[in-house]
Amino acid sequence: MDGANDYDMELRRRAQAVIPGGMWGHQHVQRLPEGYPQYFTRGKGCRTWDANGRGYIDYMCAWGPMILGYQDPDVEAAAARQREMGDGLNGPTPALVDLAELMVETIPHADWALFSKNGTDATTACVTIARAGTGRRKILVARGAYHGAIPWCTPSVAGVTEEDRAHLIQYDYNDIASLEAAVDQAGQDLAGIIVSAFKHDVGKEHILPTRAFAARARELATQADAALIVDDVRAGFRLHIGGSWELVGVRADLSAWSKAIANGHALAAVTGSDRFRKAATEIYTTGSFWTAGVSMAAAIATITKLRDTNGVAHMEAMGLRLREGLQKQADSLGLKLRQSGPVQMPVFLFEGDDDRRIGNRFCLEALARGVFFHPVHTMFLSTAHTPAIIDETLEISAEALRATANAL
Amino acid sequence: MDGANDYDMELRRRAQAVIPGGMWGHQHVQRLPEGYPQYFTRGKGCRTWDANGRGYIDYMCAWGPMILGYQDPDVEAAAARQREMGDGLNGPTPALVDLAELMVETIPHADWALFSKNGTDATTACVTIARAGTGRRKILVARGAYHGAIPWCTPSVAGVTEEDRAHLIQYDYNDIASLEAAVDQAGQDLAGIIVSAFKHDVGKEHILPTRAFAARARELATQADAALIVDDVRAGFRLHIGGSWELVGVRADLSAWSKAIANGHALAAVTGSDRFRKAATEIYTTGSFWTAGVSMAAAIATITKLRDTNGVAHMEAMGLRLREGLQKQADSLGLKLRQSGPVQMPVFLFEGDDDRRIGNRFCLEALARGVFFHPVHTMFLSTAHTPAIIDETLEISAEALRATANAL
């Protein structure tokens, strides 16, 4: 769409004047092939609409938060009830205690919880608590992993000083020898090991942790009396209701949560074990909106509904249906589609597609037909994705793949 | 209240099990004299209710955010309209552009705006942008000033490493010689000078910037081609709709905003001048909920209403009415009340009250009679505080001061 009815382009032009570069961060449309919309105006269930009124079956779910679909009626009813009473007040609402209890009850490693607003708030608090609780400084981080967007962890080094990362030591995800080497390097100064729920670096194959790697990470942290920190910001509540590393039989000392925790309401959390309870009282972390009740009421409704309906199993079944259907379609066309990651958090890459020509084309062909895929980032399914929606998606993907194959 | 109907105590007991220390951060009731409630259940206009059902005329305004009063109908209507469409989506909503334009139009120093969720997000982005835009590292910070709660700036040093603060140099607020000395110390490595809107350290007299200090800070930053950063997180929109330092005739290169920007909806912003536009595109800062539309629609409604009704003048008039009334009452009782700060953001301290015996007693006596004051922290008035409410407050404060005087 272009010309007089192109509201998206009009907004982009206006934004150029008042927002540096027209947009910032991960949602900047420059990170996508040309043809994607920048602005959105609506979301409902598993569908979203852009500023030009085009609707899509959505596989980004607002980049993760929408785990029950946009405007889930149960979550929104709970939020509305709390809003009627109060959101931000001079202290927390009772929803704080209810939510902390629910998380401790639902997440096996958790003896306590703290809340904040951003995933970065939670990962940063985990690192700070690990240091406070051990009196040590070194944090082991997987090469290429994303843990947030402030100087100690942000992907761009602009404005970052060397000191911001002075006590980080890198290892390779799923590589036990490299983790052991990093532990050796930390020596007596090891405060914690931070691991993503799985390896979900942008533009790369997504890889689940091996049981051996997870067990060794746990063992190394325990031996050093350091914190094993699971960053479950992106994956939390999609792979396992009790935390993603339940799947590999390993429990963290500290976990960071955000994205899906309140079905789109701004909230983040740290959960921790008793080993780090005292340390969590010693650090000072807070924010003006961190005890606001509405997002907590939304989180209680979200977690409860996911648990009671076994939302994870549904998302897994839908993800599998999509993966198998897509693979059959691609194979039959001779397109070397490599799907990876958990089925409910997939990434679609094509073999030998270093310049993203195939992947971008496929995603644009799907977009033009009303399906929103992302060519390089983790995607997300929600419980609002039904078998009928997956089948509708597959009809479109068949055409999109055919058009891609023809264009090559 | 105690015994069977003490819901607040019940919540505190439950919280002890699932939240480290029962609560975290600035809202922990341990930071207040015994007798204050921890939990709140409702807010409406300038009134709030605690978990035991006791109502108060509120002078904390949820620690600042409630600038038009709890549940302002215009703000909530705008939020509801946006919520009907969409909050967090795959990209920003048009509200992003509308809000950025409104801020650029309203705030004289602003050529652009970026949004986030916490005051700390905004101050941290300012520092990072200053470093990116200058290629230098040193940030000058006033001794004792609060700029957020992550390792580079948080008041507690638990879990903080020396390197987190390696490039901070301290000066004394309003002390030109000390600022000049800090600039000298930074030498060729000066990236920015960060100043609070006014000196509002907890438990201390609040002091407005002198015109001479503000002008010298501007001059020193300009001479070094470094950033003058105004942290307007706490004061923003209460002292001047265009930014607090408009009052002293000085414009920042970068300003951090949060608290009152959306009347309680979680939002923060950085505004900047063209000098730092490019740097703002180079840093990477983002969050899962940073482009959500509801808080932006709320901000547009909040700023527009404040501007169109001259909310600042109203809050000033109400603050003055309260200050003058209180002072008369205290003086007549021989209580050495020292009120400081802008009248709409006051702090009440008593001369020679180092152990806070007088201040705490006065606040508890007011609390028992239905007025919520804070004994050591900046307080906040809103546009929902009417002359009748101030007079009702003064009737109560007269009794509370009398009871305090009698008890001494």
Side-chain angles (χ1 to χ4, degrees):
Chain A
M1 191 186 290
D2 52 20
N5 293 322
D6 198 335
Y7 187 31
D8 188 78
M9 283 308 297
E10 183 203 318
L11 288 164
R12 290 196 211 190
R13 271 192 302 270
R14 287 168 51 198
Q16 276 300 330
V18 292
I19 295 168
M23 185 55 201
W24 72 94
H26 64 291
Q27 290 190 344
H28 197 315
V29 77
Q30 278 186 347
R31 295 173 173 263
L32 284 163
E34 212 182 307
Y36 272 81
Q38 175 70 82
Y39 290 89
F40 291 80
T41 48
R42 218 181 125 208
K44 182 81 190 166
C46 66
R47 294 185 190 269
T48 192
W49 286 263
D50 68 23
N52 286 337
R54 289 184 52 90
Y56 307 97
I57 300 175
D58 183 20
Y59 289 91
M60 282 308 283
C61 294
W63 297 72
M66 291 301 159
I67 195 163
L68 299 169
Y70 296 98
Q71 301 188 340
D72 177 77
D74 297 312
V75 174
E76 291 315 302
R81 277 193 301 275
Q82 182 63 48
R83 195 178 299 117
E84 265 307 291
M85 297 186 288
D87 188 16
L89 297 165
N90 287 351
T93 71
L96 168 68
V97 185
D98 294 336
L99 176 57
E101 286 177 343
L102 177 61
M103 290 191 75
V104 166
E105 186 188 303
T106 308
I107 299 161
H109 92 89
D111 294 317
W112 53 262
L114 295 176
F115 301 95
S116 48
K117 285 289 156 195
N118 303 310
T120 304
D121 299 338
T123 56
T124 303
C126 285
V127 165
T128 311
I129 292 167
R131 286 178 173 147
T134 57
R136 307 184 215 132
R137 299 172 299 178
K138 302 299 178 198
I139 301 290
L140 314 192
V141 183
R143 210 164 268 113
Y146 180 78
H147 295 297
I150 55 172
W152 78 266
C153 53
T154 190
S156 162
V157 294
V160 172
T161 69
E162 214 179 292
E163 286 79 1
D164 289 319
R165 299 170 183 198
H167 297 296
L168 302 184
I169 300 175
Q170 295 197 315
Y171 66 88
D172 293 310
Y173 200 93
N174 264 346
D175 180 336
I176 290 174
S178 83
L179 184 61
E180 289 171 342
V183 168
D184 281 349
Q185 199 187 324
Q188 298 305 306
D189 203 15
L190 181 63
I193 303 170
I194 185 166
V195 289
S196 301
F198 62 96
K199 186 170 155 62
H200 44 50
D201 308 353
V202 176
K204 300 204 175 135
E205 201 176 351
H206 285 14
I207 301 166
L208 292 168
T210 64
R211 281 192 164 259
F213 173 74
R216 188 64 179 137
R218 177 66 276 175
E219 196 173 47
L220 289 165
T222 303
Q223 278 168 7
D225 194 29
L228 177 63
I229 304 167
V230 171
D231 178 351
D232 229 341
V233 169
R234 192 179 300 179
F237 301 110
R238 266 196 173 80
L239 306 196
H240 190 291
I241 191 77
S244 300
W245 273 37
E246 288 296 305
L247 295 173
V248 285
V250 163
R251 289 186 180 155
D253 297 298
L254 299 165
S255 287
W257 309 81
S258 183
K259 285 200 180 281
I261 191 171
N263 204 47
H265 292 262
L267 191 70
V270 174
T271 51
S273 65
D274 277 331
R275 160 70 182 88
F276 287 89
R277 186 188 287 262
K278 183 164 165 285
T281 66
E282 289 164 355
I283 72 157
Y284 188 79
T285 176
T286 197
S288 294
F289 311 110
W290 289 16
T291 59
V294 171
S295 59
M296 294 186 182
I300 293 167
T302 302
I303 297 169
T304 306
K305 187 167 180 175
L306 280 170
R307 185 193 62 192
D308 294 352
T309 61
N310 199 353
V312 170
H314 175 84
M315 289 184 280
E316 236 181 321
M318 294 305 101
L320 193 63
R321 192 182 185 103
L322 179 65
R323 177 163 298 184
E324 290 180 347
L326 271 177
Q327 202 60 50
K328 220 174 282 176
Q329 294 171 350
D331 289 352
S332 75
L333 290 162
L335 286 170
K336 292 187 172 142
L337 172 62
R338 294 198 60 157
Q339 303 181 77
S340 62
V343 290
Q344 62 274 50
M345 293 180 66
V347 66
F348 304 156
L349 303 172
F350 289 85
E351 233 173 277
D353 189 30
D354 295 338
D355 60 1
R356 311 277 179 218
R357 207 164 54 94
I358 310 173
N360 286 353
R361 183 63 183 249
F362 167 57
C363 287
L364 285 170
E365 295 286 356
L367 189 82
R369 292 168 174 82
V371 169
F372 198 103
F373 288 142
H374 196 293
V376 289
H377 193 276
T378 318
M379 286 178 280
F380 301 88
L381 273 76
S382 75
T383 63
H385 288 82
T386 61
I389 287 287
I390 301 296
D391 293 345
E392 189 184 335
T393 305
L394 287 169
E395 279 175 39
I396 290 170
S397 67
E399 289 175 39
L401 285 166
R402 220 163 12 242
T404 305
N406 289 340
L408 292 176
Chain B
M1 193 185 288
D2 51 19
N5 293 323
D6 197 335
Y7 187 31
D8 188 78
M9 282 307 298
E10 183 204 317
L11 288 164
R12 291 197 212 189
R13 271 192 300 270
R14 286 168 51 198
Q16 276 299 331
V18 292
I19 295 168
M23 186 53 200
W24 73 95
H26 64 291
Q27 290 190 342
H28 197 315
V29 77
Q30 278 185 347
R31 296 172 172 263
L32 284 163
E34 211 182 308
Y36 272 81
Q38 175 69 82
Y39 290 90
F40 292 79
T41 48
R42 218 182 126 208
K44 182 82 191 166
C46 66
R47 293 184 189 270
T48 192
W49 287 263
D50 69 21
N52 287 336
R54 289 184 53 89
Y56 307 96
I57 301 175
D58 182 21
Y59 289 91
M60 282 308 283
C61 294
W63 297 72
M66 291 300 159
I67 194 163
L68 299 169
Y70 296 99
Q71 302 188 340
D72 176 76
D74 298 311
V75 174
E76 291 315 302
R81 277 193 301 276
Q82 182 63 48
R83 195 179 297 118
E84 266 306 291
M85 297 186 287
D87 189 15
L89 297 164
N90 288 351
T93 71
L96 167 67
V97 184
D98 294 336
L99 177 57
E101 286 177 343
L102 177 62
M103 291 189 75
V104 166
E105 186 189 304
T106 309
I107 299 160
H109 92 90
D111 294 315
W112 52 262
L114 295 175
F115 301 95
S116 48
K117 285 290 155 194
N118 303 310
T120 304
D121 299 337
T123 57
T124 303
C126 285
V127 165
T128 312
I129 291 167
R131 286 179 173 146
T134 57
R136 306 184 216 130
R137 299 173 299 177
K138 302 300 177 197
I139 301 289
L140 314 192
V141 183
R143 210 163 269 114
Y146 179 79
H147 295 297
I150 55 172
W152 79 266
C153 52
T154 190
S156 161
V157 294
V160 172
T161 69
E162 214 179 292
E163 285 80 1
D164 290 318
R165 298 170 184 200
H167 297 295
L168 302 184
I169 299 175
Q170 296 196 314
Y171 66 88
D172 292 310
Y173 201 92
N174 265 345
D175 180 335
I176 290 175
S178 84
L179 184 62
E180 289 171 341
V183 168
D184 281 348
Q185 198 187 326
Q188 298 305 306
D189 203 15
L190 180 63
I193 302 170
I194 185 165
V195 289
S196 302
F198 62 95
K199 187 168 153 64
H200 45 49
D201 308 353
V202 176
K204 301 204 175 136
E205 200 176 353
H206 285 15
I207 301 167
L208 292 168
T210 64
R211 280 191 165 259
F213 174 75
R216 188 64 181 138
R218 176 66 277 176
E219 196 173 46
L220 288 165
T222 302
Q223 278 167 8
D225 194 28
L228 177 64
I229 304 167
V230 171
D231 178 351
D232 228 341
V233 169
R234 193 179 298 179
F237 302 109
R238 267 195 174 80
L239 305 196
H240 190 291
I241 191 77
S244 300
W245 273 37
E246 288 295 305
L247 294 173
V248 285
V250 164
R251 291 189 178 152
D253 297 297
L254 299 165
S255 287
W257 309 81
S258 184
K259 287 201 180 282
I261 190 170
N263 204 47
H265 293 262
L267 191 69
V270 174
T271 52
S273 65
D274 277 330
R275 161 70 182 87
F276 287 90
R277 186 187 287 262
K278 183 163 164 283
T281 66
E282 288 165 355
I283 71 156
Y284 188 79
T285 176
T286 196
S288 294
F289 311 110
W290 289 15
T291 60
V294 171
S295 60
M296 294 186 182
I300 293 167
T302 302
I303 297 169
T304 305
K305 187 167 180 175
L306 280 171
R307 185 193 62 191
D308 294 351
T309 61
N310 200 352
V312 169
H314 175 83
M315 290 184 280
E316 237 181 321
M318 294 306 101
L320 192 63
R321 191 181 185 105
L322 179 65
R323 178 162 299 183
E324 290 180 347
L326 271 176
Q327 201 62 49
K328 220 174 283 177
Q329 294 171 350
D331 290 352
S332 77
L333 290 161
L335 286 170
K336 292 185 173 142
L337 172 62
R338 294 198 59 158
Q339 304 181 76
S340 62
V343 290
Q344 62 273 51
M345 293 180 65
V347 65
F348 304 156
L349 302 171
F350 289 84
E351 232 172 276
D353 188 30
D354 295 339
D355 61 0
R356 311 277 179 217
R357 208 165 53 94
I358 310 172
N360 286 353
R361 182 62 183 250
F362 167 56
C363 287
L364 285 170
E365 296 286 355
L367 190 81
R369 291 168 174 82
V371 168
F372 198 103
F373 288 143
H374 195 293
V376 288
H377 194 276
T378 318
M379 286 178 279
F380 302 88
L381 273 77
S382 74
T383 63
H385 289 82
T386 61
I389 288 287
I390 301 296
D391 294 344
E392 188 183 337
T393 304
L394 286 169
E395 279 175 40
I396 290 170
S397 66
E399 289 176 39
L401 285 166
R402 225 170 1 249
T404 304
N406 289 340
L408 292 176

